[in-house]
Every structure is written in C-alpha cells, then in structure tokens.
Amino acid sequence: MRLLSAVAVGALLDTEQIDVTMSGMQCGGSSQQDGLVVRPKDATQKYPVISFAHGWIRGGSALDTVYQKLWPLIASNGYIIVAPKAPYGLWYCFDMYKDQLQALRWTHNGTEVKDRIDFSLPKGIVGHSMGGRSTVMAASQGAELKELNVAAAVAQHPAVNVGGCPDCAPAVPIMYTAGEKDTTVPHGVVSHQYDETTGVPKAYIEIKGGDHHDPDSGPDLQGPYVVDFLDCYIKGIAAACRSAQCQEATVPTSNCTSSGLPSGAVLV
C-alpha cells in the first residue's frame, strides 16, 4: 500500500466527455452497450477510475446532458468516470449493480480508457437515485469488490424505496447523500439506510433545501463532499478525510453525520 500526497489538491484539470462502446451490460439487453467516459484532458498522467450508475429515465441519449456539474467536478479532481447508458427510457433496472461492476471490468480492456487509468489505485462506485440504490447493492458484493479493488462508494439519493435493498450490507466505506426537500426519495429513507449500515466507515450528507435532482440537473451542492469521500479512500488525502466529516463550510446541510472516518490519511 502507499500514501499519496495532496500535491494536486486545488489544481483542477480540464475535462472532456466522450462516447464509448462497452461490453457485458445486462440492463436493456445486448443492444444497449454504449456509455460515456468523463476524464481529464491531460493524457500524460493516469488516474483512478469511478463507475457511475445513473438515475431512472436518465439513460440513453438523456445521459449526454445530465450530471454536467457533478461529473466535471469529479474528473477535474483527477478521476476517470465510466458510465453505462443502459437502461434507456422508462426501463427500471433492479439489477443495475451488475452493470456498475461490469463497467469496472470493462475498463481493463476498453481501448478508450485502459491506458489512462492508474490500476495500482483503488476504484470507486458512485450512483444517483436508481443508480444510488445500485451503488448500495454493488457495495455489498464483497467478493467482487475484492476482485475489482473497490475502496469507496457514494450513494446519492439512493432509491431503496423502490424494490427495497435486498441483501444490502456494504463492505466498503460508503457515503449517503440526500435532500431535505426530496419527495422522490425522502431523506428519511436515506438516513434509515445509513443507520442500517454497520461495520464500515460511513457518512450521511443531507443538503438543506435540496431536492432529488441536485446531482443531475440541479446546482450539485453536494459535489464537494463526493470528491472529499473519494479523495479520502481512493487517494488517501488526509485533508479530504477531515472535510468529508461535515467540514465543507460552503455546503448547506440540514443534517450531517459520519462514523468511523479517519482524521488522518488512509493508506491506499
């Protein structure tokens, strides 16, 4: 294991979003294998990878125009995001977590990304709404997490009120985000999932006045906390570990708590 320095903190990178053809995706069937990659433009460096699972009706061509504040923020902090477009339209995929993990497998051979990713660093999983539920489920697949070297999960407004969260017991550090005014996935649903999570470091961020669409088409007020959590557990940055514990002064929260997060750097 190694400890990364925070040399790059504050030096945001220019980013780009490209279309890719993925493989092995199950949501939507064999005809829905396309996806997006959001990455730093600087091709001289390699970066850790994040698999992102989108929300309901945000798939297909709709994915081209949402998460346009969240994704550039993550990528500009030195990450490569891979995001399957499946399922398209009104399709609700209850097993989306399988595609979220498959996307990480694909990165090892995907020509657009394999030479740009630092595979010596841990990977992360992030998702919103339907994809947030997927993230909690993916974070509970212990054997696959070890296989893929996943070290952190962020479940944004996870829709565990649709289909429940079968066999959910996250095995890696996980952050939950919610909105005080979210009526699609009420904050009480998310805070209950946080309370039910045991045995791993965890955080709960509830955005004051925030609704369900803060991450996808809203102001993305929670974005700094998402980056903090990833920086803490994927890059081992001590300052990020501290900030993730309700210390982002510019982010308005109506409820914020954490348990088990380190005060110093994490060995990665």
Side-chain angles (χ1 to χ4, degrees):
M1 297 191 295
R2 57 181 171 141
L3 181 64
L4 298 187
S5 68
V7 172
V9 172
L12 298 181
L13 303 168
D14 291 332
T15 66
E16 60 186 359
Q17 179 172 302
I18 64 171
D19 292 299
V20 296
T21 300
M22 308 178 88
S23 61
M25 302 302 133
Q26 299 182 34
C27 294
S30 60
S31 65
Q32 298 186 15
Q33 299 296 313
D34 51 337
L36 292 175
V37 167
V38 185
R39 65 190 184 188
K41 288 183 178 180
D42 183 0
T44 66
Q45 304 293 323
K46 294 187 177 185
Y47 309 95
V49 65
I50 306 296
S51 178
F52 188 93
H54 65 76
W56 184 57
I57 68 171
R58 294 303 194 232
S61 60
L63 196 59
D64 295 335
T65 59
V66 289
Y67 304 109
Q68 292 300 298
K69 292 184 178 179
L70 174 65
W71 285 352
L73 177 65
I74 295 173
S76 68
N77 278 275
Y79 293 93
I80 292 177
I81 299 168
V82 295
K85 286 191 172 183
Y88 303 172
L90 298 176
W91 187 299
Y92 199 100
C93 187
F94 289 98
D95 289 333
M96 194 179 194
Y97 75 94
K98 296 178 181 178
D99 284 3
Q100 191 173 14
L101 294 174
Q102 174 60 23
L104 292 178
R105 294 188 184 91
W106 169 81
T107 63
H108 287 264
N109 296 302
T111 55
E112 300 91 345
V113 294
K114 63 184 179 69
D115 296 326
R116 300 281 301 275
I117 293 173
D118 186 347
F119 289 110
S120 71
L121 288 175
K123 303 177 180 72
I125 49 176
V126 180
H128 170 236
S129 192
M130 175 176 70
R133 174 183 181 270
S134 166
T135 299
V136 184
M137 295 177 71
S140 303
Q141 309 304 310
E144 291 180 87
L145 299 178
K146 290 181 180 179
E147 169 206 342
L148 295 166
N149 192 23
V150 174
V154 179
Q156 300 180 273
H157 307 247
V160 294
N161 54 336
V162 180
C165 200
D167 301 317
C168 283
V172 293
I174 184 167
M175 171 176 278
Y176 296 94
T177 71
E180 182 187 24
K181 303 297 184 182
D182 190 340
T183 58
T184 304
V185 182
H187 60 81
V189 170
V190 184
S191 62
H192 176 73
Q193 192 64 46
Y194 170 84
D195 290 339
E196 289 291 300
T197 299
T198 60
V200 295
K202 59 182 183 177
Y204 174 75
I205 310 296
E206 184 181 298
I207 299 301
K208 185 175 183 179
D211 65 13
H212 190 65
H213 298 291
D214 178 61
D216 62 1
S217 57
D220 187 36
L221 297 174
Q222 62 201 258
Y225 274 116
V226 176
V227 173
D228 288 338
F229 202 77
L230 297 175
D231 277 354
C232 177
Y233 285 102
I234 294 177
K235 296 183 178 179
I237 298 175
C241 297
R242 293 189 292 270
S243 293
Q245 299 176 64
C246 307
Q247 297 301 310
E248 283 288 353
T250 63
V251 178
T253 58
S254 48
N255 190 3
C256 187
T257 188
S258 63
S259 174
L261 272 68
S263 57
V266 175
L267 288 174
V268 298

